[in-house]
Amino acid sequence: MKALVCILLLLETFVFVVQQQVDGGLNKKEISQQISSEDGRQNPPQTDTLRAEASTDRQQYCDLGIPDIHAALRELTATVTEQKEKNRELTATVTEQKENIRELTATVTEQKENIRELTTTVTEQKENIRELTATVTEQKENIRELTATVTEQKENIRELTTTVTEQKENIRELTTTVTEQKENIRELTATVTEQKENIRELTATVTEQKENIRELTATVTEQKEKNRALETQQTFILEELKKKNEEISNLTLSQVELRKENRAFSASMMESGSGNIGPFTSDITLTYKNVFTNIGNAYNPITGIFTAPLKGAYMFRVSVFSHAPPSTAAVIVKNGKHVVVADDKRPQNDLNASNGVVLILEVGDVVYVRLWAGRRIFDNQNNHNTFSGYLLFPLK
């Protein structure tokens, strides 16, 4: 039992020594001196009260087993040496950890700064979010109003669609009507063009007639003077007239009728120049202006119409000329009804055609020539296109 107590006391002393060494107190040499002092029963170093008490106890209880204790102390010394090595390694590790901690501290400081900046940014973003929230609320109200407006507009669009559909139908009907009117306008345009030409000719005729009237006025004035000079000769003239009347009364009725019945005309297209007439979109009446013969003046060169002065059998002929293409065709018309046609159609070269007919006409019947729509004629000083007619014999 005493040996066990001695060992425990020695262990306590050893632990104290080790603690002093770990804390930086005794080195290895001091520890050995301490142990030798204990072995030689010398007074312990006056470190503190506990060490003195431990030395006293060892003197009382540790007289036996000293060699075993020395062996145990040597083993403990080796263990302590090993622990010192481990402590150095731990110290190096702690130093390294302190460096890491300093680096982490710098990083944390930097992160704190970043966090402060982020906090400021988050505060600004929160303010922006509040403003955006207010804007979104306002936009939602606008969207509700727009939705109501769009709904109203959709209803209006449906009504407008119905109206547009009706208008499209009306437009189709109007388009059909306009197309018909365009065709009528083209026909009227051709007629107006023809009438303008007739008006130009009539204007020239009127101008000529005005000149003739002026000449006749001068002549009448002159005749008035002559009449006054001839008044003295009236008696002689009356006697001469009586004689002439007697001679006329002696003429037979057949001679008078024969003289009245002489009717004939012949005319060509142009008085001067050359060129094409046509094609037109509708039939037109041709006016043969260059008159060769017009006995009885039954043919009108302004309108191109022959009017029968008396009932009888009449012979009419027409000739047409053009250059291909297109074709050429002219028809003799009696009182608006087609009678005979002269036409020619070839892909190239000159086109020539003629025709004639004998017609029974009543007084006032009209005969003229019309150019078919889409056809044309060509004329020049050679007078290729002619219209002629004459009375064969009168009828009762």
Side-chain angles (χ1 to χ4, degrees), residues 60-270:
Q60 293 175 1
Y61 298 102
C62 296
D63 293 330
L64 298 175
I66 294 301
D68 293 333
I69 291 171
H70 278 291
L73 287 174
R74 280 192 294 272
E75 291 177 2
L76 287 172
T77 301
T79 302
V80 168
T81 302
E82 183 179 353
Q83 289 299 321
K84 285 179 73 178
E85 184 63 29
K86 289 181 179 180
N87 285 337
R88 279 193 298 272
E89 294 176 357
L90 287 171
T91 301
T93 302
V94 167
T95 302
E96 182 180 355
Q97 292 299 322
K98 284 181 179 180
E99 182 64 26
N100 292 335
I101 288 168
R102 279 194 297 275
E103 293 176 358
L104 287 171
T105 301
T107 302
V108 167
T109 302
E110 182 180 354
Q111 292 298 322
K112 283 182 179 179
E113 182 63 27
N114 292 337
I115 288 168
R116 280 195 295 275
E117 294 176 358
L118 288 172
T119 302
T120 303
T121 303
V122 167
T123 303
E124 294 176 359
Q125 292 300 320
K126 283 182 178 179
E127 181 63 26
N128 293 335
I129 288 168
R130 281 195 295 275
E131 295 175 358
L132 287 172
T133 301
T135 303
V136 167
T137 303
E138 182 180 354
Q139 292 300 320
K140 283 182 178 178
E141 182 62 27
N142 293 335
I143 286 168
R144 280 195 294 274
E145 295 175 359
L146 287 172
T147 302
T149 304
V150 167
T151 302
E152 182 180 354
Q153 291 300 320
K154 283 182 178 178
E155 182 62 27
N156 293 335
I157 287 169
R158 280 195 293 273
E159 295 175 359
L160 287 172
T161 301
T162 303
T163 304
V164 168
T165 303
E166 296 175 359
Q167 292 299 320
K168 283 183 177 179
E169 182 63 28
N170 294 334
I171 287 169
R172 281 195 292 272
E173 295 174 359
L174 287 171
T175 301
T176 303
T177 304
V178 168
T179 302
E180 295 175 359
Q181 292 300 320
K182 283 182 178 179
E183 182 62 27
N184 294 334
I185 288 169
R186 281 195 293 272
E187 295 176 358
L188 287 171
T189 301
T191 304
V192 167
T193 302
E194 180 181 353
Q195 292 301 321
K196 283 181 178 180
E197 182 63 27
N198 292 336
I199 288 168
R200 282 194 294 272
E201 295 175 355
L202 285 171
T203 302
T205 302
V206 168
T207 302
E208 182 180 354
Q209 292 299 321
K210 284 181 178 179
E211 183 64 27
N212 292 336
I213 288 169
R214 282 194 293 271
E215 294 176 359
L216 286 171
T217 301
T219 303
V220 166
T221 303
E222 183 180 353
Q223 289 299 324
K224 284 181 179 179
E225 293 293 331
K226 290 180 180 180
N227 285 337
R228 283 194 294 271
L230 291 173
E231 286 177 356
T232 57
Q233 300 178 1
Q234 286 181 353
T235 303
F236 177 76
I237 293 172
L238 290 172
E239 291 178 355
E240 291 295 325
L241 286 173
K242 287 179 181 179
K243 292 179 182 180
K244 293 293 182 181
N245 286 333
E246 290 176 358
E247 292 177 0
I248 290 170
S249 63
N250 294 328
L251 295 174
T252 63
L253 181 62
S254 60
Q255 289 174 330
V256 173
E257 290 297 329
L258 181 61
R259 192 172 298 167
K260 288 181 180 179
E261 291 168 359
N262 290 331
R263 297 290 187 273
F265 78 94
S266 182
S268 65
M269 186 60 58
M270 293 183 176

